[in-house]
Amino acid sequence: MAGSCLFCRIVAGELSSRRVYEDDRVVAFEDIQPVAPVHVLLVPRRHLASLADLTPEDGDLAGHLLLVAARLGGELCPDGYRLLVNTGEEAGQTVGHLHLHVLGGRRLGALG
Ligand code: 5GP
Ligand code: ZN
């Protein structure tokens, strides 16, 4: 699964991306089709298909993802940003590796 996963391949450096942050547990890179001036994807290095895959043992990782997302959002979008996590097909999740969208750099409309 992880071998053919797009974001696992980006994390491994097999596919190129424009990284904006990385540490031992997470990687953040620019979305290839940005919908806002700032559109960064933050992913865990470990393959997790979606939020639905998180277990109580992943609490530290989940907290770390949120803290890093908040730090990136604050740095890249000082006037405000939006975190978005599409989970499941009906929500529009198209890549089966957990990712947080960090969006900003313009006034964002209401959620539809
Ligand atoms: P989702 O729709 O699953 O919430 O978000 C997937 C995101 O991944 C989309 O915004 C899409 O533009 C982005 N994406 C898809 N393929 C690639 C890729 O190869 N590289 C990068 N950087 N982003 C990608
Ligand atoms: Zn993966």
Side-chain angles (χ1 to χ4, degrees):
M1 175 201 337
S4 60
C5 169
L6 181 65
F7 288 172
C8 280
R9 296 186 68 196
I10 285 178
V11 166
E14 294 171 16
L15 295 176
S16 66
S17 68
R18 293 168 66 156
R19 292 191 184 202
V20 299
Y21 175 80
E22 63 184 303
D23 63 28
D24 59 329
R25 286 176 285 173
V26 303
V27 177
F29 51 92
E30 292 179 2
D31 196 291
I32 203 168
Q33 284 189 297
V35 300
V38 174
H39 189 168
V40 166
L41 300 173
L42 175 64
V43 308
R45 287 185 182 274
R46 178 160 64 89
H47 181 87
L48 290 162
S50 77
L51 278 184
D53 266 16
L54 285 176
T55 69
E57 286 69 42
D58 298 315
D60 281 353
L61 176 62
H64 186 62
L65 281 165
L66 200 54
L67 287 168
V68 171
R71 195 164 73 228
L72 288 173
E75 286 173 6
L76 300 172
C77 315
D79 294 330
Y81 58 91
R82 179 174 293 164
L83 300 183
L84 190 68
V85 189
N86 294 323
T87 305
E89 190 186 342
E90 199 158 320
Q93 184 177 0
T94 59
V95 178
H97 182 128
L98 174 61
H99 51 284
L100 284 68
H101 297 257
V102 182
L103 296 162
R106 66 166 167 82
R107 184 164 293 275
L108 299 170
L111 288 175

